Amino acid sequence: MEKYRHFICIFTVSCLILINFEVSAQKVYTRKLKDTRFTEHYQVLNNNHNVLDGKYELYYKKHLIEKGRYQNGERAGIWNFFNLNSLFEFQYDFTRDILIKQAGEDFFIRRNYTPPLFLGSPLIPYIYILDSLGYPIETYNNNVEGKVVLTLIISTEGKIIECFISESLDESTDKDVLNVVKTFPDDWKWIPAKKDGVKIESAYNITVFFDLD
């Protein structure tokens, strides 16, 4: 009986070592997105390389802006999101569907409410708007500088249901910013705000700066 116990123990340890080796040996792939300033480092299912599974990182140029894990094509567990300087923005647990923490927020005070969040680094929609607009010609020719605050109303399903300018720069620029929203990629999603654990409609603001210098 002792011999069998010894054999079972050795066999179990060997299986664990083999499993750990297979996990650690899982290949990490790298690819550029359509906007080549963004680079993904990712892992996939062994039997389907089109399905993300395992570690995932997204970089803007050399700056890490997203980090987490995929499980069979879905975000799972805790993810961290960063801004352009790779500074922490927020942490979200996709398995439990809850916001863990956010930069500058005291959740001991605001634990009954979590704000809406872009599903990804908040840098992404900001860069998209800037790239689409450039510096509006009429605004530039009139030597106008400042900021526009774009407000998006996010539904309980995480979709944009309304948009408007809550802080104006000038009529031309405001109109251009609103027109960009119409071209947002269809696969963009937002995490709805929650109050007392219930998803609610809410406002998500994007501040766009225009500086002549």
Side-chain angles (χ1 to χ4, degrees):
M1 181 63 74
E2 275 307 311
K3 288 183 178 179
Y4 287 118
R5 286 177 182 168
H6 184 64
F7 172 77
I8 292 170
C9 181
I10 292 174
F11 178 76
T12 303
V13 171
S14 299
C15 286
L16 288 174
I17 291 173
L18 179 60
I19 291 170
N20 286 333
F21 174 76
E22 288 178 350
V23 170
S24 63
Q26 190 176 3
K27 184 177 178 180
V28 176
Y29 295 86
T30 299
R31 66 184 174 192
K32 296 282 187 181
L33 299 187
K34 186 175 181 181
D35 182 339
T36 57
R37 293 171 298 180
F38 292 92
T39 305
E40 291 179 310
H41 298 279
Y42 62 98
Q43 294 178 314
V44 295
L45 288 174
N46 290 330
N47 59 353
N48 188 344
H49 287 188
N50 293 318
V51 178
L52 296 178
D53 190 80
K55 294 180 181 179
Y56 179 90
E57 291 181 346
L58 178 64
Y59 288 81
Y60 174 73
K61 297 181 179 178
K62 295 183 179 180
H63 303 283
L64 176 65
I65 60 173
E66 294 184 19
K67 183 177 182 179
R69 293 188 66 86
Y70 274 90
Q71 185 173 340
N72 199 27
E74 300 289 337
R75 294 178 191 251
I78 295 175
W79 281 62
N80 291 292
F81 299 90
F82 308 89
N83 64 19
L84 182 58
N85 297 315
S86 297
L87 296 176
F88 175 79
E89 282 285 344
F90 69 95
Q91 186 179 74
Y92 199 87
D93 187 331
F94 285 90
T95 301
R96 295 188 292 160
D97 193 24
I98 58 171
L99 180 65
I100 304 297
K101 59 183 176 180
Q102 185 178 22
E105 294 289 346
D106 186 347
F107 278 87
F108 290 102
I109 296 174
R110 300 187 61 198
R111 62 184 180 274
N112 65 326
Y113 174 79
T114 57
L117 299 166
F118 177 71
L119 185 51
S121 169
L123 173 69
I124 293 174
Y126 178 77
I127 288 176
Y128 183 93
I129 293 172
L130 285 183
D131 284 351
S132 299
L133 286 177
Y135 207 117
I137 295 175
E138 187 175 337
T139 306
Y140 180 83
N141 289 339
N142 291 331
N143 291 319
V144 176
E145 61 181 3
K147 66 180 180 181
V148 174
V149 179
L150 168 67
T151 297
L152 308 175
I153 302 302
I154 306 301
S155 73
T156 55
E157 288 78 35
K159 297 180 179 179
I160 300 171
I161 55 176
E162 185 183 350
C163 64
F164 56 88
I165 301 299
S166 52
E167 187 171 333
S168 173
L169 181 60
D170 62 31
E171 184 177 352
S172 175
T173 305
D174 294 351
K175 182 179 179 181
D176 287 345
V177 170
L178 288 174
N179 283 335
V180 171
V181 178
K182 299 174 184 177
T183 71
F184 279 180
D186 293 334
D187 59 352
W188 278 8
K189 296 179 181 179
W190 273 259
I191 299 168
K194 285 184 179 180
K195 186 173 183 180
D196 296 324
V198 178
K199 294 178 181 180
I200 59 172
E201 288 184 8
S202 55
Y204 181 91
N205 293 326
I206 302 175
T207 303
V208 186
F209 295 92
F210 297 92
D211 190 346
L212 291 168
D213 293 334

